[in-house]
């Protein structure tokens, strides 16, 4: 009897040790906690996303993107770290939710009724329309019934629901192919490269990609605007939804959401095919020779932004001259050149050095209440129309109930400085504010094109090097076929 008791004690001890070892991996672990408590206990918010010009990408090996920044702020709000998983296509994103590998999807996903049976959505943070795209040198279709070629859309996308609705209601002969291994961005690029006739994308992503792939053309809107949201697993536990709602509300009240929207969406406007093509050609032909100078003198700003400023000023022509007497790569006035010790305004290096130094001085003068990431836009407005007129624009913004420290608010008042009923209320009077507005917006577009285009070049070079290495190893290079269903 005594020996039996000892055996029970031994078995109980072993069982306790095994339970402690296996506790984190058993299926029922954490069921007593709500979603937010589990995230906080884990110390990590897990998101899944895709690589796109708006959601998530890297610059200088640092992650950026609207969804990434939102998710990072949400993780900070919860007091946890952020873990980002980048998936190659939309279907893999939702698999992560189904398999419990992600707490939420932050990938610029469009609100879709069909998904609501299995998932829940967070608050909307911007809206897009679904658009059909084609290559600019091909015939433009008028509607979904006018397609003469293959239409391919991404598996798991909201576009499938829109196409099914269109076929049921209006176009019974409409057909399409579903790509299971390509994200919407890859399909958009395939259309731009002439490898695919048509696809559907969201209006914002298309507008951003056109800065890099100007051959991408919009045929027509497939839907009206619909909200973009995060997705979370369907559950009776609403703790995660409540936290997201409170987080987005606080972002709105603090003005942080407006700044984020301005950063990523504020310059998504009209698209000029000819101007974009000309700029991309200049990147290939002219930029390589002068790139080292931008890198050398960029100082506190990204060299690609300094290059974009110079292109807006002179189209990288060192001999450029305006009717008002400004000259050179950075189009300096004689007085400005003297203030930064530039003797020859037509000398490329002197002009870039002087323009960068003058811009730095402007940034230092910008009021300290303006957020760091927006100071450059205020400085550029001052660079273009004068510092005093930039201060007038801020005062006019405050007088009209806007935020004088928000570029999104102030830029709307710039054109008013050329209208008498508004500039009469200012200290320094009339200014060509509409020119300053266009000046800054153009620079932001050029910067976007430059960053994206250089990234595409790097990707192509990496692919070429990988292919050459594979061929050099003696093994044949095989291009995988696109999987369809």
């Amino acid at each position: 009897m005594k020996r039996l008791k000892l055996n029970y004690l031994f078995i109980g001890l072993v069982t306790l040790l095994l339970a402690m070892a296996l506790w984190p991996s058993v299926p029922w672990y954490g069921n007593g906690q709500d979603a937010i408590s589990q995230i906080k206990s884990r110390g990590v918010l897990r998101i899944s996303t895709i690589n796109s010009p708006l959601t998530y990408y890297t610059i200088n090996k640092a992650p950026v993107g609207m969804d990434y920044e939102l998710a990072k702020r949400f993780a900070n709000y919860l007091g946890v770290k952020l873990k980002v998983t980048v998936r190659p296509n939309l279907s893999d994103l939702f698999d992560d939710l189904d398999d419990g590998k992600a707490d939420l999807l932050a990938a610029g996903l469009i609100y879709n009724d069909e998904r609501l049976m299995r998932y829940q959505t967070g608050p909307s943070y911007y809206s897009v329309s679904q658009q059909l795209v084609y290559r600019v040198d091909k015939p433009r279709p008028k509607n979904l019934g006018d397609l003469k070629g293959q239409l391919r859309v991404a598996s798991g996308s909201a576009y499938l629901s829109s196409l099914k609705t269109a076929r049921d209601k209006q176009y019974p002969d409409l057909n399409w192919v579903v790509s299971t291994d390509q994200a919407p961005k890859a399909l958009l690029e395939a259309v731009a490269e002439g490898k695919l006739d048509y696809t559907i994308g969201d209006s914002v992503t298309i507008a951003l990609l056109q800065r890099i792939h100007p051959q991408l053309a919009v045929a027509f809107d497939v839907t009206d605007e619909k909200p973009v949201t995060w997705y979370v697993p369907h559950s009776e536990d609403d703790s995660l939804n409540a936290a997201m709602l409170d987080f987005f509300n606080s972002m709105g009240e603090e003005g942080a959401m407006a700044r984020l929207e301005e950063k990523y969406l504020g310059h998504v406007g009209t698209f000029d095919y000819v101007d974009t093509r000309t700029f991309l050609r200049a990147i290939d032909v002219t930029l390589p020779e002068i790139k080292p100078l931008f890198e050398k003198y960029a100082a506190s700003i990204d060299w690609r932004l300094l290059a974009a400023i110079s292109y807006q000023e002179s189209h990288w022509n060192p001999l450029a001259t305006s009717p008002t007497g400004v000259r050179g790569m950075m189009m300096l006035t004689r007085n400005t050149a003297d203030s930064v010790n530039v003797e020859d305004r037509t000398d490329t290096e002197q002009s870039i050095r002087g323009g960068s130094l003058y811009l730095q001085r402007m940034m230092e003068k910008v009021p300290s209440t303006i957020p760091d990431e927006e100071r450059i836009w205020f400085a550029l407005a001052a660079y273009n129309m004068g510092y005093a007129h930039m201060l007038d624009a801020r005062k006019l913004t405050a007088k009209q109930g806007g935020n004088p420290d928000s570029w999104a608010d102030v830029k709307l008042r710039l054109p008013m400085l050329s209208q008498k009923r508004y500039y009469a209320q200012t200290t320094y009077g009339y200014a060509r504010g509409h020119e300053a507005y266009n000046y800054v917006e153009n620079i932001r577009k050029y910067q976007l094109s430059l960053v994206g285009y250089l990234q595409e070049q790097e990707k192509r070079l990496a692919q070429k090097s990988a292919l050459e290495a594979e061929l050099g190893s003696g093994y044949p290079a095989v291009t995988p076929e696109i999987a369809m269903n």
Side-chain angles (χ1 to χ4, degrees):
M1 189 73 175
K2 184 177 181 181
R3 184 177 179 182
L4 184 63
K5 286 182 179 179
L6 288 173
N7 285 342
Y8 276 132
L9 179 62
F10 177 75
I11 292 171
L13 180 60
V14 170
T15 302
L16 177 61
L17 291 173
L18 283 171
M20 292 175 65
L22 296 174
W23 181 272
S25 60
V26 292
W28 38 265
Y29 173 73
N31 278 357
Q33 294 181 311
D34 60 34
I36 287 297
S37 297
Q38 290 184 48
I39 292 169
K40 290 185 175 181
S41 296
R42 191 190 312 128
V44 175
L45 173 68
R46 304 165 305 167
I47 73 161
S48 287
T49 188
I50 56 175
N51 188 289
S52 86
L54 188 60
T55 57
Y56 179 93
Y57 59 101
T58 57
I59 296 180
N60 297 331
K61 298 182 180 181
V64 290
M66 186 171 185
D67 281 282
Y68 169 76
E69 286 202 37
L70 270 173
K72 182 67 175 175
R73 290 169 184 254
F74 185 45
N76 292 340
Y77 165 84
L78 296 176
V80 298
K81 295 180 180 179
L82 178 67
K83 179 184 177 182
V84 180
T85 300
V86 181
R87 296 300 185 189
N89 56 62
L90 298 181
S91 295
D92 286 351
L93 288 182
F94 287 97
D95 286 345
D96 281 353
L97 277 190
D98 294 337
D99 298 339
K101 295 179 180 179
D103 300 306
L104 61 87
L105 305 183
L109 297 169
I110 301 172
Y111 180 91
N112 178 253
D113 290 335
E114 289 187 8
R115 292 173 177 160
L116 297 184
M117 297 180 65
R118 298 177 59 187
Y119 311 102
Q120 294 175 306
T121 62
S124 170
Y125 50 108
Y126 65 97
S127 297
V128 296
S129 60
Q130 298 176 30
Q131 298 178 324
L132 186 127
V133 296
Y134 69 108
R135 187 178 162 92
V136 71
D137 56 358
K138 303 295 183 182
R140 177 180 181 176
K142 299 176 182 177
N143 52 54
L144 288 171
D146 192 33
L147 304 186
K148 295 177 176 61
Q150 187 184 86
L151 167 62
R152 190 182 302 169
V153 291
S155 173
S157 67
Y159 314 135
L160 292 170
S161 299
S162 302
L163 290 174
K164 291 173 185 176
T165 300
R167 182 171 61 186
D168 293 342
K169 292 185 176 181
Q170 192 171 5
Y171 304 105
D173 296 327
L174 178 63
N175 292 301
W176 59 88
V177 176
V178 179
S179 177
T180 59
D181 66 344
Q182 287 182 296
K185 175 177 177 282
L187 293 175
L188 290 167
E189 291 171 338
V191 171
E193 294 165 2
K195 299 176 181 178
L196 177 63
D197 297 308
Y198 312 108
T199 191
I200 296 177
D202 73 77
S203 53
V204 171
T205 299
I206 292 169
L208 292 172
L209 277 179
Q210 284 179 316
R211 309 292 174 192
I212 309 167
H213 302 284
Q215 302 88 352
L216 194 64
V218 176
F220 53 82
D221 285 356
V222 176
T223 68
D224 294 330
E225 285 199 349
K226 293 188 176 182
V228 172
T229 70
W230 286 350
Y231 279 83
V232 298
H234 198 285
S235 172
E236 294 182 0
D237 167 28
D238 63 353
S239 62
L240 182 53
N241 297 73
M244 286 192 296
L245 182 60
D246 186 61
F247 165 70
F248 276 91
N249 283 340
S250 65
M251 286 280 289
E253 292 172 358
E254 296 167 4
M257 182 59 77
R259 288 193 294 272
L260 208 56
E261 288 176 352
E262 172 60 28
K263 179 178 179 179
Y264 287 102
L265 304 174
H267 55 295
V268 179
T270 56
F271 169 65
D272 188 322
Y273 171 79
V274 174
D275 182 61
T276 304
R277 282 292 303 272
T278 302
F279 179 54
L280 297 182
R281 193 176 301 115
I283 294 175
D284 289 331
V285 176
T286 309
L287 181 61
E289 184 178 346
I290 55 178
K291 174 185 172 183
L293 297 176
F294 292 125
E295 292 177 318
K296 180 178 180 180
Y297 294 111
S300 61
I301 65 173
D302 190 288
W303 75 264
R304 288 159 291 201
L305 175 55
L306 183 61
I309 296 168
S310 178
Y311 187 83
Q312 169 63 23
E313 290 285 0
S314 65
H315 283 209
W316 294 334
N317 176 9
L319 302 179
T321 304
S322 82
T324 58
V326 294
R327 303 184 67 183
M329 290 284 286
M330 301 298 289
M331 297 298 273
L332 303 176
T333 65
R334 181 68 268 171
N335 289 339
T336 300
D338 290 342
S339 71
V340 290
N341 298 318
V342 170
E343 296 179 359
D344 183 359
R345 288 180 289 168
T346 63
D347 179 85
T348 299
E349 182 166 3
Q350 287 190 46
S351 184
I352 292 173
R353 176 188 59 77
S356 177
L357 179 57
Y358 184 71
L359 183 60
Q360 290 174 53
R361 291 178 181 176
M362 283 293 181
M363 290 184 67
E364 292 169 359
K365 289 176 65 177
V366 169
S368 59
T369 53
I370 295 172
D372 288 343
E373 62 184 16
E374 294 197 352
R375 297 174 68 82
I376 181 61
W377 314 127
F378 286 85
L380 284 172
Y383 186 97
N384 178 260
M385 67 177 182
Y387 185 78
H389 292 301
M390 184 273 287
L391 294 181
D392 273 349
R394 294 183 73 246
K395 291 177 182 177
L396 186 60
T397 300
K399 185 177 292 187
Q400 294 182 348
N403 181 358
D405 295 332
S406 166
W407 176 247
D409 285 358
V410 172
K411 75 174 186 178
L412 297 178
R413 274 74 183 186
L414 292 177
M416 296 180 184
L417 296 180
S418 61
Q419 302 174 39
K420 187 173 182 179
R421 60 174 174 160
Y422 295 114
Y423 72 69
Q425 306 173 35
T426 65
T427 304
Y428 298 97
Y430 173 86
R432 295 191 299 273
H434 59 286
E435 291 184 12
Y437 175 92
N438 292 330
Y439 175 81
V440 178
E441 294 301 284
N442 286 341
I443 288 170
R444 298 179 70 183
K445 292 171 186 176
Y446 289 138
Q447 182 192 21
L448 175 67
S449 291
L450 181 55
V451 170
Y453 191 69
L454 293 179
Q455 285 182 327
E456 288 292 309
Q457 286 184 332
E458 291 174 2
K459 184 174 72 174
R460 286 195 293 268
L461 286 174
Q463 291 172 343
K464 182 180 179 181
S465 298
L467 181 60
E468 290 174 348
E470 187 174 357
L471 290 172
S473 67
Y475 294 98
V478 179
T479 303
E481 294 183 1
I482 296 174
M484 306 290 180
N485 64 20

